[in-house]
Amino acid sequence: MEDKREFEEFKKSELVADFARNFDVKKNEANQMIDFMFKKLEKALIDGKTFTQRSFGRFTPIFRERRKAMNVARKTEVDIPSKYAPVLRFSKTLRDKVKDAANERSW
């Protein structure tokens, strides 16, 4: 059974506007603060560090081993090299909140 629900998109511009309004700063300053936060998070992941926000989740760089895959169009085996990939594991608290909100809505 295919899920055909429509979800609204929460854009960065909305986050910036909310941040500016909540902390009584200009939108430009709020945008710089948010960009700074994401750049620090990006740098931490690049440096191999884990970032945890207890009520939200954990960002972790993980190592993916080299593996073989199949190109079904050409019916050939493809070698996928090993690499590091960023992973976000949401906290149980957030997962439960989303699940409970979804159960209350009539999608």
Side-chain angles (χ1 to χ4, degrees):
M1 183 176 193
E2 189 176 327
D3 188 0
K4 296 192 183 242
R5 292 177 288 192
E6 292 287 324
F7 295 98
E8 287 184 46
E9 185 176 349
F10 182 65
K11 298 181 180 179
K12 182 184 173 192
S13 59
E14 295 173 79
L15 178 63
V16 168
D18 288 349
F19 193 94
R21 192 172 30 260
N22 250 6
F23 295 102
D24 197 28
V25 295
K26 295 178 184 171
K27 284 185 181 180
N28 185 38
E29 292 170 337
N31 190 44
Q32 289 175 345
M33 291 176 193
I34 291 167
D35 283 344
F36 176 78
M37 183 188 75
F38 281 114
K39 284 178 184 162
K40 292 296 282 186
L41 176 58
E42 179 183 310
K43 174 118 174 58
L45 289 170
I46 290 169
D47 291 343
K49 296 177 182 174
T50 295
F51 174 81
T52 303
Q53 173 60 42
R54 292 191 83 160
S55 62
F56 187 76
R58 174 183 291 152
F59 292 87
T60 309
I62 64 164
F63 182 72
R64 298 207 187 262
E65 294 286 343
R66 186 176 140 213
R67 60 193 166 99
K68 301 237 182 250
M70 196 68 171
N71 180 335
V72 291
R74 294 184 181 173
K75 296 184 178 146
T76 58
E77 199 172 77
V78 179
D79 188 37
I80 300 176
S82 58
K83 64 181 178 182
Y84 281 90
V87 172
L88 170 58
R89 168 105 169 118
F90 291 106
S91 70
K92 183 169 181 353
T93 304
L94 181 58
R95 284 182 287 155
D96 289 344
K97 285 180 183 179
V98 170
K99 184 174 91 177
D100 292 344
N103 289 338
E104 291 174 8
R105 284 191 203 112
S106 57
W107 281 339

